[in-house]
Amino acid sequence: MKQQAILNVDVEQGIINKNIYGHFAEHLGRCIYEGIWVGEDSQIPNTNGIRNDVVEALKNINIPVLRWPGGCFADEYHWKDGVGPRENRKRMVNTHWGGVVENNHFGTHEFMMLCEMLECEPYICGNVGSGTVQEMSEWVEYMTFKGESPMANWRRENGQEEPWKLTYFGVGNENWGCGGNMRPEYYSDLYRRYQTYVRDYDGNKIYKIAGGANVDDYNWTEVLMRESARYMDGLSLHYYTVPGDFWAGKGAATGFPEGEWFVTMKKALHMDTLIRKHGTIMDKYDPTKRIGMIIDEWGTWFEVEPGTNPGFLYQQNTIRDALVAGLHFHIFHDHCDRVQMTNIAQTVNVLQSMMLTEGEKMIFTPTYHVFEMYKVHHDATKVAIDMKANNYEFDGETIPQVSLTASKNDEGTVHVSICNIDHKHDAEVTIDIRGLEISNVNGRILTADKMDAHNSFEDGENVKPVEFTGFSLDGKGLDITLPPMSVVVLALN
Ligand code: AHR
């Protein structure tokens, strides 16, 4: 049965902050080391130690913001170990992630250099769990103070004359868990204390992000908002899409049964409920929505690839991941009045990554292609598009088959993104267009004929976007046929 959508181009619903398309890179497995940092002496083409192919790929998706150094690693990271001559830097154990040696070769200077190459904003996460207030305060001084001071002088000795621009700073990570196993009351007090010393030097205004809840821990949000709202600019939230039970078995990234496709989609859609419920609590204390909801970890989490280090969280990425990404973006757009930034976990070689690398080879994942197709929505104006979708049914359970979103850019072009999450059936959608005379439509599609279709080092182009022609324009309406498991972006003008 045809599904009817109505697009009201003149009903504007807010700006889609480009930071919704942000990323996260942790000292975990082969994300930073190998995935980004290879060192100046590497055979892999690099600029000052950073892989050229990765920089080019991330620039191509207009990466707006990058979160670093963790994650759980952040609350064990002591930044002073990661500055100064590399050969003198302390070697430490990365206890969270595989117990491997961390040589600290990628530190503050290297991260800031990476952000400069990417032309993106740095988002640094500080250490509350095992670090001191002084250490955090000195890190901010080191990075952003212009004049004469112990930390600014040290930065200059280490080769960086001018302070960096630092916009986003997280005060701890998952402090209910790996970041110190704290109660919200305790963390809230610590947050107030630590953030006091995260200073705005020389006109560098820092947007302070408090460590937020795990999934549906609404009490955490309630306590943080009640006790500390006035000291924060953003409050984080973490939610991963895991088809299985997290500890009993997460499910495989490839070769999974139909039921795991369905449950993955269902769990991805749960993000909407979480934002609504945490958002309601935030509204109670912050009705003007001054404080951003910062979903600084999200994405799929499967079992690691067989034979790889379980602590490295290396997983393949399929057309299923692409649909998960599309669904998340539609939900984030729907809440663009509150959701000001999100950071998918993680950029390279870890969890739902953009790229996978093997030595000097690099491939794009299906998720990368969704980020590339959706960059048209960065900082665009969300416009109303509504539909009652047909049911997608599996084993007696139902979820909506189609999800869509629309935005308008400064030139007046409207982009409509649509996901058909059904793994078996086409979706026929008619969009009734109001408030725009269309003379031209073009589109691209990302799809596959197998649920676990993915790219590999042997075939890096198995899943990639191609031109989409499955639509016809008649009168005011656009008739579209989406194949199963597809992400489509249409440009209307
Ligand atoms: O992204 C992997 C880990 O997941 C992060 O280090 C942590 O914050 C979360 O539990």
Side-chain angles (χ1 to χ4, degrees), residues 150-377:
M151 292 302 118
N153 291 351
W154 194 25
R155 181 193 70 233
R156 279 187 282 268
E157 272 167 41
N158 288 334
Q160 178 69 24
E161 185 60 33
E162 290 301 312
W164 290 287
K165 176 171 176 282
L166 172 66
T167 313
Y168 301 103
F169 195 86
V171 181
N173 168 74
E174 296 196 351
N175 301 92
W176 39 262
C178 64
N181 286 306
M182 301 174 196
R183 296 172 308 115
E185 292 79 5
Y186 181 65
Y187 171 71
S188 179
D189 281 348
L190 282 190
Y191 174 77
R192 290 165 63 129
R193 179 171 168 228
Y194 275 66
Q195 68 78 35
T196 305
Y197 304 95
V198 174
R199 306 272 190 210
D200 288 340
Y201 291 112
D202 297 312
N204 182 79
K205 174 86 188 79
I206 293 186
Y207 183 102
K208 296 175 191 173
I209 300 169
N214 183 28
V215 191
D216 56 358
D217 183 353
Y218 301 113
N219 181 49
W220 186 278
T221 300
E222 176 77 36
V223 174
L224 263 286
M225 289 300 295
R226 189 183 67 222
E227 304 299 338
S228 307
R230 68 179 180 280
Y231 303 104
M232 63 174 83
D233 301 300
L235 177 62
S236 76
L237 169 66
H238 289 182
Y239 172 62
Y240 285 94
T241 300
V242 186
D245 171 285
F246 192 86
W247 299 112
K250 302 177 191 73
T254 56
F256 49 84
E258 283 176 306
E260 282 183 22
W261 170 284
F262 183 86
V263 83
T264 302
M265 297 304 140
K266 188 173 162 205
K267 288 191 169 184
L269 289 167
H270 186 56
M271 180 60 94
D272 183 61
T273 306
L274 293 173
I275 295 174
R276 280 178 201 283
K277 291 194 171 178
H278 286 287
T280 306
I281 300 166
M282 293 179 78
D283 288 349
K284 182 168 129 195
Y285 296 98
D286 175 36
T288 61
K289 299 189 198 288
R290 179 187 66 79
I291 300 172
M293 188 185 290
I294 309 294
I295 303 170
D296 51 18
E297 290 188 28
W298 67 272
T300 55
W301 193 325
F302 305 123
E303 295 300 332
V304 298
E305 289 305 307
T308 64
N309 187 328
F312 281 14
L313 310 187
Y314 177 72
Q315 66 190 38
Q316 247 301 354
N317 192 299
T318 68
I319 187 71
R320 178 175 58 163
D321 295 75
L323 268 304
V324 168
L327 288 181
H328 275 80
F329 291 138
H330 298 183
I331 294 167
F332 297 152
H333 291 187
D334 283 344
H335 297 284
C336 66
D337 55 345
R338 179 65 84 179
V339 177
Q340 296 302 334
M341 186 199 294
T342 89
N343 310 78
I344 191 169
Q346 298 194 7
T347 318
V348 197
N349 292 330
V350 169
L351 299 176
Q352 190 175 351
S353 54
M354 303 301 107
M355 288 90 67
L356 302 176
T357 67
E358 203 176 79
E360 65 182 344
K361 294 189 214 148
M362 183 195 79
I363 54 170
F364 298 115
T365 63
T367 301
Y368 176 89
H369 292 306
V370 177
F371 273 78
E372 190 275 318
M373 292 165 76
Y374 277 50
K375 67 184 177 185
V376 292
H377 295 298

Side-chain angles (χ1 to χ4, degrees), residues 402-421:
V402 170
S403 158
L404 37 63
T405 192
S407 72
K408 182 169 62 176
N409 68 15
D410 289 344
E411 287 78 50
T413 301
V414 173
H415 291 100
V416 178
S417 298
I418 320 175
C419 295
N420 175 13
I421 61 175

Side-chain angles (χ1 to χ4, degrees), residues 7-144:
L7 169 65
N8 276 300
V9 175
D10 40 13
V11 179
E12 299 184 352
Q13 298 177 317
I15 302 294
I16 298 166
N17 193 324
K18 67 177 179 197
N19 288 339
I20 281 177
Y21 290 85
H23 295 262
F24 166 40
E26 182 168 9
H27 288 237
L28 194 178
R30 298 188 302 114
C31 182
I32 293 291
Y33 297 107
E34 286 186 45
I36 293 173
W37 176 259
V38 287
E40 288 148 344
D41 300 332
S42 171
Q43 298 296 305
I44 298 172
N46 69 84
T47 302
N48 302 332
I50 294 175
R51 291 181 77 119
N52 294 342
D53 50 0
V54 166
V55 168
E56 193 188 328
L58 292 174
K59 283 186 81 163
N60 185 44
I61 55 174
N62 296 350
I63 176 175
V65 59
L66 182 61
R67 179 175 184 247
W68 172 84
C72 293
F73 183 79
D75 282 278
E76 272 194 307
Y77 182 60
H78 300 284
W79 70 271
K80 291 181 184 175
D81 298 344
V83 298
R86 283 192 204 106
E87 62 279 11
N88 299 341
R89 295 190 193 171
K90 227 182 237 175
R91 289 163 70 82
M92 62 182 273
V93 186
N94 190 334
T95 41
H96 274 292
W97 305 119
V100 294
V101 172
E102 160 67 54
N103 64 15
N104 275 303
H105 281 192
F106 190 89
T108 306
H109 290 249
E110 290 77 14
F111 174 65
M112 289 301 198
M113 176 173 69
L114 170 65
C115 291
E116 280 167 12
M117 287 176 180
L118 296 173
E119 296 171 41
C120 78
E121 295 274 3
Y123 167 14
I124 288 193
C125 186
N127 180 346
V128 172
S130 70
T132 63
V133 180
Q134 182 179 359
E135 187 182 353
M136 185 179 285
S137 150
E138 287 181 338
W139 198 5
V140 174
E141 178 190 323
Y142 185 92
M143 291 186 279
T144 62

